[in-house]
Amino acid sequence: MGTTAATAVAIRSADREDGTVQMRAAGRDDVDAVVALVESAYRGEESRAGWTTEADLLDGQRTDAAGVTAVLDAPRSHLLLAVDGERLVGCCALENRGSRWYFGTFAVRPGEQARGTGSALLAEAERRAREAGAAAMELTVIHARTDLIAWYERRGYVRTGETRPFPYGDERFGMPRRDDLAFVVLEKPLSRS
């Protein structure tokens, strides 16, 4: 898939000297940093500094070292990092499911949100999947996250009409603060232009 090579990606940011972040594959040395990044983007008070927080919907963890390691160990999965110098600013996982790839574990450091890092990371993930033969990208979002769903829709994703149940009772995915959570499925064709 070419995920081992680092790629410089330009993003709009006045506080970056050269206006780029490096995109590279994660390794075992990155596990703890990825867990901390994902937790900071979605859970607890730190997450409230960004707009992707799920703190009003879920308590507990979003991921752990075992979950991140499982992505690294899965033969058809890839964990992509966005790095600014030595600092991890974003991540996402890609899972090769044949012609349709799955996009998940997407997180951007709260202080980096709304600066183009997430858009650049998503575009790089799509590029890498397309180059590896993917015809479409699929993802899931908690239905109550209308702002996040709208963000994906502005980037070409459409609702498939499919929903998937939230894993109630499995604290590896958090402890719900409400009893009506479900995931909506979105997808985007990856043209080969």
Side-chain angles (χ1 to χ4, degrees), residues 7-184:
T7 305
V9 177
I11 63 171
R12 59 175 167 77
S13 180
D15 60 347
R16 282 202 175 79
E17 209 171 288
D18 63 0
T20 65
V21 294
Q22 295 293 316
M23 304 286 178
R24 67 169 176 83
R28 290 203 177 274
D29 291 347
D30 298 307
V31 170
D32 291 340
V34 169
V35 170
L37 169 68
V38 171
E39 293 300 309
S40 75
Y42 290 99
R43 298 291 196 273
E45 287 307 308
E46 184 180 359
S47 72
R48 294 181 189 280
W51 67 275
T52 61
T53 185
E54 295 171 344
D56 294 328
L57 300 173
L58 297 151
D59 292 321
Q61 69 182 29
R62 180 79 176 336
T63 193
D64 58 19
V68 173
T69 301
V71 172
L72 291 174
D73 290 346
R76 297 171 62 95
S77 292
H78 312 275
L79 188 58
L80 182 61
L81 305 181
V83 181
D84 182 11
E86 295 295 315
R87 197 172 72 111
L88 178 62
V89 295
C91 69
C92 68
L94 295 169
E95 182 182 344
N96 178 341
R97 296 181 177 174
S99 65
R100 177 171 273 105
W101 284 37
Y102 184 79
F103 178 82
T105 316
F106 185 39
V108 174
R109 186 171 303 286
E112 288 288 319
Q113 293 175 14
R115 293 181 173 184
T117 303
S119 294
L121 187 54
L122 177 61
E124 180 66 10
E126 291 171 352
R127 183 190 71 77
R128 290 177 183 224
R130 184 174 39 255
E131 285 183 359
M137 188 80 82
E138 176 184 277
L139 56 88
T140 57
V141 179
I142 294 174
H143 80 285
R145 297 297 320 278
T146 55
D147 52 347
L148 187 55
I149 292 168
W151 186 87
Y152 283 116
E153 288 174 333
R154 289 191 302 272
R155 282 146 187 87
Y157 286 82
V158 296
R159 298 175 202 218
T160 66
E162 180 185 355
T163 60
R164 295 183 184 153
F166 186 86
Y168 283 93
D170 189 342
E171 291 186 8
R172 292 177 304 158
F173 301 100
M175 298 177 299
R177 301 179 95 188
R178 40 193 278 189
D179 62 4
D180 67 339
L181 299 180
F183 294 103
V184 295

